[in-house]
Amino acid sequence: MTDLHRLNGKTIVITGGARGLGAETARRAVAGGARVVITDVLDDEGAATAAELGTNARFLHHDVTSEKDWQRVAEFAVAEFGRIDGLVNNAGVSTGQPLETETVEHFRKVIDINLTAVFIGMKTVIPVMKENGGGSIVNISSAAGLMGLALTSGYGASKWGVRGLTKIGAVELGTAKVRVNSVHPGMVHTPMTASVGIRQGEGNYPNTPMGRVGEPSEIAQAVTFLLSDAASYITGAELAVDGGWTTGPTVKYVMGQ
């Protein structure tokens, strides 16, 4: 890891950091020299992850839909580590429901958790980052935020919204040296996806060009790159980490035919 790719001295807030992609991002950030504030509603798992990472990690219970909770997170990060240099808006819910049968109540709930919470988080940390001379916000969208994906009415709409909000933030905050980028994971092997039958290994996700699901570490590497000074001229980008899934349908062919 080069010096530019390291996160020495940076304080990073990671929502949904108790397990899965968020926990792996926290591990990689601490390994890169960062101090992290992990937030989640999963208190036991969040506390365990922070304890695993040692003195450079803290855990705080956090309802991402609450403006009051977001303010408490920002104040906590500054009190513990003196600043906020990075925010990873990772918390969210993944649901599958046909548009025709999706309820208005559930749709609104998904939008609130997956999109409105991202807006509140950005709004909360921007003044703190400006005081520090800049920062990096990484919003976790999805492959479903790059293409139309069936059975994702609320989820897909929220992830397209995250993509758009990211670009608005990048345009508005560029001169303040606050970079805003989105990461778009494809199918990734996590505790959540494992529970619905997603398996690791080659051949277990054949509709991607790479023919497999991703690993949390592969998403985390992309996120920590965008948090680092190695990405100092990257803002408003949408980085697909999806094994080529969103490039189009996979077509098998034989050379010479």
Side-chain angles (χ1 to χ4, degrees):
M1 184 182 290
T2 68
D3 287 343
L4 283 176
H5 284 84
R6 293 189 63 83
L7 299 171
N8 291 336
K10 296 184 186 295
T11 298
I12 313 296
V13 174
I14 303 171
T15 69
R19 64 182 186 179
L21 301 183
E24 191 61 33
T25 300
R27 292 186 187 101
R28 185 168 177 84
V30 169
R35 302 164 298 188
V36 300
V37 175
I38 296 167
T39 81
D40 212 305
V41 294
L42 301 174
D43 292 342
D44 291 344
E45 290 171 276
T49 299
E52 168 200 333
L53 295 177
T55 58
N56 284 329
R58 303 285 190 276
F59 171 73
L60 193 64
H61 181 90
H62 181 199
D63 173 4
V64 292
T65 66
S66 165
E67 292 180 71
K68 184 177 179 180
D69 267 21
W70 267 110
Q71 192 58 47
R72 186 166 57 88
V73 168
E75 291 170 356
F76 178 81
V78 172
E80 290 291 309
F81 296 129
R83 55 193 295 128
I84 298 175
D85 302 284
L87 168 64
V88 182
N89 274 310
N90 170 72
V93 292
S94 177
T95 63
Q97 187 75 10
L99 178 64
E100 186 178 11
T101 57
E102 175 72 281
T103 67
V104 172
E105 180 184 19
H106 186 256
F107 184 90
R108 284 177 172 155
K109 180 180 179 180
V110 173
I111 294 294
D112 202 26
I113 295 171
N114 287 5
L115 177 57
T116 306
V118 172
F119 161 73
I120 300 170
M122 292 172 64
K123 181 179 175 65
T124 303
V125 304
I126 286 167
V128 185
M129 289 183 173
K130 284 182 173 181
E131 288 179 8
N132 297 336
S136 175
I137 297 172
V138 181
N139 295 326
I140 306 302
S141 179
S142 169
L146 293 172
M147 63 179 178
L149 192 61
L151 307 180
T152 67
S153 53
Y155 180 78
S158 70
K159 292 305 185 178
W160 276 83
V162 168
R163 178 186 179 191
L165 188 60
T166 296
K167 293 190 179 298
I168 292 165
V171 170
E172 292 186 359
L173 300 169
T175 56
K177 299 181 180 178
V178 175
R179 298 182 295 105
V180 191
N181 295 286
S182 59
V183 170
H184 299 255
M187 187 59 71
V188 180
H189 185 264
T190 66
M192 181 174 63
T193 60
S195 69
V196 294
I198 296 299
R199 294 176 296 153
Q200 294 170 289
E202 298 291 336
N204 284 320
Y205 207 63
N207 61 334
T208 65
M210 294 187 71
R212 66 173 177 87
V213 300
E215 295 295 332
S217 61
E218 294 175 304
I219 312 302
Q221 290 178 69
V223 174
T224 52
F225 163 68
L226 291 171
L227 291 169
S228 77
D229 293 339
S232 59
Y233 199 52
I234 301 175
T235 194
E238 47 196 45
L239 179 55
V241 190
D242 64 354
W245 188 16
T246 55
T247 60
T250 301
V251 178
K252 300 296 184 182
Y253 66 94
V254 178
M255 292 296 291
Q257 294 185 356

